[in-house]
Amino acid sequence: MSSRESLIESTRSLLWERGYVGTSPKAIQQRAGAGQGSMYHHFSGKEELALAAIERSAEVLREVADAQLSTEGTAYARIEAFLRRERDVLRGCPIGRLTQDPDVMATPALRAPVEETFAWLRGRLTAVLQDGLDHGEFPGTLDPSTTALAIVAVMQGGYVLARADDSPQRFEEAATGILGLLAAYRRPETE
């Protein structure tokens, strides 16, 4: 791994663990095994490096989500695969956790990839649900856009509840709850 990549990956990990304020240039350099000169050779400062790390986290999240949401099967099955995929629930969502960081949210450049990622996820889920509508899996009374928003909200809330209770089970329960509500909309012949 190049020193640039090591700096980005170290920053991704530190942002996830400590947030923006808790991620000092020194901590990044120590974790990356890179010197100050190397850091400032590749990035103008902490904000530019944090932006690269947030953009990388967003890219990874989109790739993983898209892999599950693009598989064969019903819309319900694809959403279930997405919600039930293996993840480190107690660490939380690397993008969702950034919304709780006032420094990230107050810095337009850092906030932008967070907003874009959630907009992409809502849009991707909306498309999957619309596909379910188009194929008769769900009745016309299901609103794909608001349902997608509810899925994202439950998922992010599941991370919060799991961390609060120190129990991955809370995330699983939240996923089971939203999937149960979605299943109630399904037409019996498509199950």
Side-chain angles (χ1 to χ4, degrees):
M1 182 180 302
S2 71
S3 61
R4 184 179 193 284
E5 287 301 307
S6 183
L7 287 162
I8 291 171
E9 290 303 315
S10 296
T11 304
R12 281 184 65 211
S13 181
L14 287 165
L15 286 171
W16 199 357
E17 293 167 16
R18 303 178 183 182
Y20 186 76
V21 170
T23 300
S24 69
K26 184 176 182 174
I28 294 167
Q29 292 161 19
Q30 287 176 340
R31 183 156 302 179
Q36 183 176 4
S38 179
M39 181 175 157
Y40 291 103
H41 170 74
H42 295 292
F43 302 97
S44 63
K46 178 182 168 181
E47 185 177 317
E48 184 181 0
L49 177 52
L51 177 59
I54 293 168
E55 288 173 340
R56 176 72 53 80
S57 290
E59 178 185 322
V60 169
L61 186 146
R62 286 190 304 269
E63 286 174 4
V64 170
D66 198 47
Q68 269 111 25
L69 296 171
S70 297
T71 60
E72 294 292 320
T74 65
Y76 179 89
R78 290 182 279 162
I79 291 168
E80 181 178 34
F82 168 66
L83 289 173
R84 299 234 187 255
R85 77 171 171 79
E86 190 162 326
R87 62 187 87 210
D88 190 353
V89 172
L90 295 180
R91 284 188 77 192
C93 173
I95 297 298
R97 286 191 63 184
L98 293 171
T99 65
Q100 300 301 311
D101 192 315
D103 293 301
V104 170
M105 293 293 97
T107 307
L110 299 179
R111 181 185 183 122
V114 174
E115 291 175 339
E116 290 164 6
T117 301
F118 280 119
W120 176 88
L121 183 56
R122 288 190 315 270
R124 189 68 184 89
L125 286 165
T126 297
V128 171
L129 291 162
Q130 184 63 54
D131 186 55
L133 275 169
D134 294 346
H135 287 92
E137 182 179 352
F138 301 115
T141 55
L142 180 109
D143 181 326
S145 180
T146 58
T147 304
L149 181 62
I151 292 168
V152 173
V154 167
M155 184 178 75
Q156 291 302 312
Y159 281 121
V160 170
L161 294 173
R163 288 175 56 83
D165 286 350
D166 194 29
S167 171
Q169 186 62 30
R170 295 297 169 255
F171 183 93
E172 293 304 317
E173 291 167 350
T176 297
I178 194 71
L179 288 168
L181 293 171
L182 191 58
Y185 264 95
R186 292 181 79 197
R187 294 192 172 163
E189 63 273 10
T190 64
E191 293 179 11

